[in-house]
Amino acid sequence: MHIFNAFFKVTKKSASWLLIYAGVYVVLCVLISSLVKDPDVGYSDTKLNVVVFDDDNTEESRALTAFIGSRHNIVDPGTRDPEVLQDKLYYQVIYYVLTINKGYGEGLLNGETEGLLTYAVDPKSYYAEYLNMQLRQYVSTASLYIKSGMSGSEACEATAENLTKETKVTVPDFGKGEERGLPQKFYLFSLYMAYTIPAIMICVLSRIIISFKKKDIAARIGCSPVSGVKRNLQIILASVIFCIALWLLMTIMSFVLSGFPPIGERELLTMLNVFVFTLVSASISVFASTLCNDGSEVIDILGNVLTLGMAFLGGVFVQQSLLSETVLSVAKFLPTYWYVKAINTIGEISGEIFSNTEIFTCIGIEALFAVALFAASIAAAKIKKSR
């Protein structure tokens, strides 16, 4: 088993690539975890950090300031320097600077609603319209109350009371009593394996196989009293163990990072899909090592270009439902498309409906990709030997 042992000695030398891509996967998972919201959390208003300069200082202007304070966080910037305020807006320390112009109270009583307020926001921010809508609603409502015969203080009080009434928002949870789909984080982490597993396979497994094809090493192996069949069987056995180890590693990482979701039928199907895709990735790496007999730099470039290309076209970084028909037609010739489609069907994501037939069809097509690529590798190796 000298060749078998040598395989894993070479694997240790390529461990840096395994660590790099495993680290990329962990970083992606952590970033996703910070962006994914708990689906059980209901709707809530967003509170902004708002600066208010009251140049009018009337009962009406103070009522408006109080209304804003009930909806948002009023902060004191300590200065009215425009440059300082612009910096705070740019770095989102504050989101909105409102100035209640002098004459606001008088204008409101006279039915004038134009030019009463001025504001400053970061032009790249979308929060401006959110608060503008609330301010327009407040001013127009107060103006209507005043026109109906109320005094300024009464109108402002009635407006604040009217606008603080909340509508109960209920988000329906269809099939609450029945578990549907995959846990959101587990789904996303399994999805991103379509990028990390091929990258690790191409940059690590291909490099290991290529090292056995180097002239000096191949000559030394050829001089050993081990037949060619046994040599190949040892390499195949070591490669299978490498695939299983990688699959276990990535699966355990996905479970740990997603909070150990309970294992059910859908999780088991996902694990099966990941395992078959690991074999597909191994077949890609074997085929790549057959084409690139030397030059690890070529393998690195090929690995990055191929894995990113398959991930983008296959629906890893952009949902398949958002891709055009032309892109999807091309993507069907890539195993990543069928891997993602299977994950989407298991999780009922991107418009897919759970179907065992559809899932096993996708997994079967992935397996056919693996068989075809392994066969192509054998054919390519024979052609090279015959030259």
Side-chain angles (χ1 to χ4, degrees):
M1 300 292 284
H2 294 295
I3 297 173
F4 180 86
N5 295 329
F7 183 97
F8 288 103
K9 286 182 180 179
V10 178
T11 303
K12 288 182 181 179
K13 294 182 180 179
S14 303
S16 59
W17 286 101
L18 178 60
L19 294 174
I20 288 171
Y21 282 104
V24 169
Y25 176 73
V26 171
V27 170
L28 280 173
C29 290
V30 171
L31 289 175
I32 293 166
S33 299
S34 64
L35 294 174
V36 173
K37 296 182 179 179
D38 186 350
D40 295 329
V41 176
Y43 170 80
S44 61
D45 284 336
T46 300
K47 288 193 171 185
L48 307 179
N49 291 335
V50 181
V51 174
V52 179
F53 295 121
D54 185 358
D55 292 342
D56 193 46
N57 197 25
T58 58
E59 193 173 356
E60 291 79 14
S61 65
R62 289 192 291 272
L64 175 59
T65 302
F67 170 75
I68 296 171
S70 68
R71 294 290 189 91
H72 302 280
N73 304 317
I74 296 180
V75 298
D76 182 9
T79 180
R80 293 191 69 162
D81 186 344
E83 291 187 4
V84 174
L85 295 174
Q86 286 295 332
D87 286 342
K88 289 180 180 290
L89 287 169
Y90 179 79
Y91 291 108
Q92 296 188 345
V93 177
I94 57 176
Y95 291 91
Y96 199 101
V97 179
L98 174 69
T99 302
I100 304 175
N101 296 326
K102 192 168 182 60
Y104 166 82
E106 184 180 352
L108 195 63
L109 293 172
N110 293 332
E112 299 172 3
T113 58
E114 296 295 327
L116 302 180
L117 307 171
T118 56
Y119 67 91
V121 294
D122 182 355
K124 298 188 294 297
S125 171
Y126 57 86
Y127 291 111
E129 190 54 36
Y130 175 62
L131 186 50
N132 284 343
M133 180 183 65
Q134 293 178 338
L135 292 174
R136 284 195 300 267
Q137 191 177 21
Y138 179 92
V139 172
S140 61
T141 304
S143 181
L144 286 173
Y145 278 125
I146 290 171
K147 287 179 181 179
S148 69
M150 288 186 177
S151 65
S153 59
E154 290 174 338
C156 292
E157 184 179 350
T159 300
E161 183 181 355
N162 181 283
L163 296 182
T164 51
K165 291 179 180 178
E166 296 183 353
T167 302
K168 187 177 180 181
V169 178
T170 303
V171 180
D173 187 3
F174 300 103
K176 181 67 176 176
E178 178 186 356
E179 291 295 328
R180 295 176 62 83
L182 288 168
Q184 191 172 18
K185 290 182 180 179
F186 183 72
Y187 161 77
L188 289 171
F189 298 163
S190 300
L191 184 68
Y192 278 95
M193 286 187 196
Y195 166 68
T196 52
I197 289 178
I200 291 171
M201 279 293 184
I202 294 174
C203 292
V204 178
L205 185 59
S206 295
R207 186 178 271 100
I208 295 169
I209 295 173
I210 286 174
S211 66
F212 281 97
K213 293 181 179 180
K214 289 182 179 179
K215 187 175 180 180
D216 294 340
I217 296 176
R220 290 174 63 183
I221 292 174
C223 294
S224 65
V226 181
S227 66
V229 174
K230 287 184 177 180
R231 289 200 300 267
N232 291 332
L233 285 175
Q234 289 183 41
I235 293 175
I236 291 170
L237 177 60
S239 299
V240 169
I241 292 174
F242 180 82
C243 290
I244 294 173
L246 178 62
W247 170 67
L248 287 173
L249 173 66
M250 300 304 292
T251 302
I252 291 170
M253 286 173 65
S254 67
F255 271 98
V256 171
L257 292 168
S258 56
F260 295 101
I263 299 177
E265 180 189 8
R266 295 174 189 260
E267 286 74 20
L268 290 173
L269 286 171
T270 302
M271 292 166 64
L272 173 62
N273 189 36
V274 173
F275 179 72
V276 174
F277 189 72
T278 304
L279 296 179
V280 176
S281 302
S283 68
I284 294 172
S285 65
V286 171
F287 186 65
S289 65
T290 305
L291 298 179
C292 307
N293 281 331
D294 39 46
S296 58
E297 298 82 4
V298 177
I299 284 292
D300 297 340
I301 295 170
L302 180 63
N304 287 311
V305 172
L306 191 59
T307 52
L308 282 172
M310 290 196 304
F312 276 109
L313 292 173
V316 176
F317 300 123
V318 180
Q319 285 189 8
Q320 290 183 348
S321 60
L322 301 177
L323 296 173
S324 67
E325 289 297 327
T326 305
V327 173
L328 291 176
S329 298
V330 174
K332 288 177 181 179
F333 292 95
L334 300 172
T336 307
Y337 169 85
W338 300 102
Y339 172 84
V340 174
K341 187 173 178 62
I343 291 285
N344 288 343
T345 305
I346 294 168
E348 297 186 88
I349 305 294
S350 195
E352 300 291 346
I353 299 173
F354 183 85
S355 167
N356 279 318
T357 303
E358 185 72 22
I359 293 165
F360 283 107
T361 298
C362 294
I363 293 175
I365 293 173
E366 291 174 53
L368 289 176
F369 271 104
V371 172
L373 286 167
F374 278 127
S377 300
I378 294 171
K382 287 185 176 181
I383 291 170
K384 282 195 171 186
K385 280 185 179 180
S386 61
R387 287 180 178 177

